[in-house]
Amino acid sequence: MSIASQIQRIQSEIPPHVKLVAVTKTHPANIVQEAYDAGLRAFGENRVQEMIAKQPLLPADSEWHLIGHLQTNKVKYIAPFVSMIQSVDSLKLLQEINKNALKHNRMIHCLLQVFIASEETKFGLSFKELDELLNSKEFSVLKNVKAVGLMGMASLTDDLSQVRKEFSSLRNKFDQLKGQLPEFSVLSMGMSSDYKIAIEEGSTLVRIGSSIFGHRT
Ligand SMILES: *Cc1c(COP(=O)(O)O)cnc(C)c1O
């Protein structure tokens, strides 16, 4: 099936309030352009170098989402144009994003990445660290970043009840925080293998790569 028909299929399966971000990592700009031509505007990359290489080659109304671990010394390369940094996992990183956003006179939207999987390999804050960050004085003074929600990745497992449990725990946290933070509106969870479960558990943004573009080499 073509990229356009895969996008059409997925769009028809997800409700209108759920945003589709096409994960374009490892795929060249001409392939990203195919997704653009099929109507998608939001693209997710997990590496800064790859994002800054492709961004100038796509139309200016493309939205770029960083979804992979971000080192503080690389924030400056994406600060001029990035739409959303979904993988914020420390106050220090948030402060660095704020500094660079200020330089460019921008407000950068961020998601806080929360560790919900049972594996030890994934990045992210614990619920306790998340609360500490959001309640800190240092966070409250940041004027050029807006924390608009949470991102999480479930365990890579065939045990779908485990995956559902992990998404559900993040959704509960999200609902709780929405009560205190009016700007919270985005819950990013779900990839090719688990987006249907994620949406059932309250996701508002899915990050999908291989179901659109095929397997990465
Ligand atoms: C690669 C990646 C995805 C997309 O994974 P697929 O299985 O190809 O859909 C989603 N989120 C993050 C954080 C990723 O790194």
Side-chain angles (χ1 to χ4, degrees):
M1 258 208 273
S2 70
I3 288 172
S5 53
Q6 294 293 12
I7 289 171
Q8 233 175 27
R9 178 183 62 82
I10 294 167
Q11 291 280 31
S12 75
E13 284 170 5
I14 66 180
H17 71 273
V18 175
K19 184 182 177 95
L20 172 58
V21 174
V23 176
T24 49
K25 65 189 183 197
T26 76
H27 301 293
N30 66 304
I31 298 290
V32 186
Q33 181 71 46
E34 270 191 55
Y36 182 96
D37 293 339
L40 285 193
R41 292 294 177 269
F43 306 114
E45 289 282 342
N46 65 340
R47 295 177 58 231
V48 166
Q49 290 307 322
E50 227 183 303
M51 181 183 278
I52 62 177
K54 286 173 210 175
Q55 182 266 341
L57 304 177
L58 271 291
D61 66 342
S62 304
E63 274 178 41
W64 295 90
H65 292 242
L66 192 81
I67 60 172
H69 185 65
L70 177 59
Q71 289 172 282
T72 50
N73 62 352
K74 294 199 174 152
V75 174
K76 57 178 179 286
Y77 301 116
I78 59 172
F81 67 86
V82 72
S83 289
M84 187 180 281
I85 300 176
Q86 298 201 6
S87 43
V88 174
D89 58 2
S90 72
L91 177 64
K92 190 173 127 227
L93 178 57
L94 213 46
Q95 289 169 324
E96 185 67 19
I97 297 167
N98 186 70
K99 196 176 89 187
N100 283 274
L102 179 60
K103 260 185 213 156
H104 295 281
N105 200 22
R106 301 187 63 207
M107 169 77 86
I108 297 181
H109 288 192
C110 294
L111 302 181
L112 297 160
Q113 182 173 356
V114 183
F115 177 87
I116 52 172
S118 55
E119 299 131 24
E120 280 304 316
T121 50
K122 304 236 164 69
F123 290 102
L125 300 155
S126 66
F127 286 141
K128 181 162 173 280
E129 290 166 334
L130 175 66
D131 284 333
E132 284 167 3
L133 190 159
L134 291 172
N135 291 321
S136 68
K137 178 163 183 306
E138 290 90 343
F139 172 70
S140 69
V141 299
L142 301 177
K143 294 285 177 270
N144 290 74
V145 288
K146 194 183 230 178
V148 294
L150 303 178
M151 188 268 255
M153 292 167 85
S155 297
L156 281 173
T157 171
D158 294 332
D159 181 357
L160 298 183
S161 70
Q162 174 69 22
V163 168
R164 188 178 292 281
K165 209 170 70 187
E166 292 168 2
F167 284 147
S168 166
S169 73
L170 191 60
R171 195 269 177 79
N172 287 339
K173 190 68 197 171
F174 177 72
D175 284 347
Q176 181 208 322
L177 290 172
K178 246 183 3 185
Q180 29 176 123
L181 299 161
E183 61 275 19
F184 255 45
S185 59
V186 182
L187 180 57
S188 172
M189 43 184 213
M191 342 202 313
S192 293
S193 59
D194 56 20
Y195 70 90
K196 288 178 191 164
I197 299 175
I199 291 169
E200 285 167 11
E201 296 303 326
S203 170
T204 71
L205 184 156
V206 291
R207 310 173 310 270
I208 298 184
S210 46
S211 287
I212 296 174
F213 302 106
H215 286 289
R216 289 177 289 273
T217 44

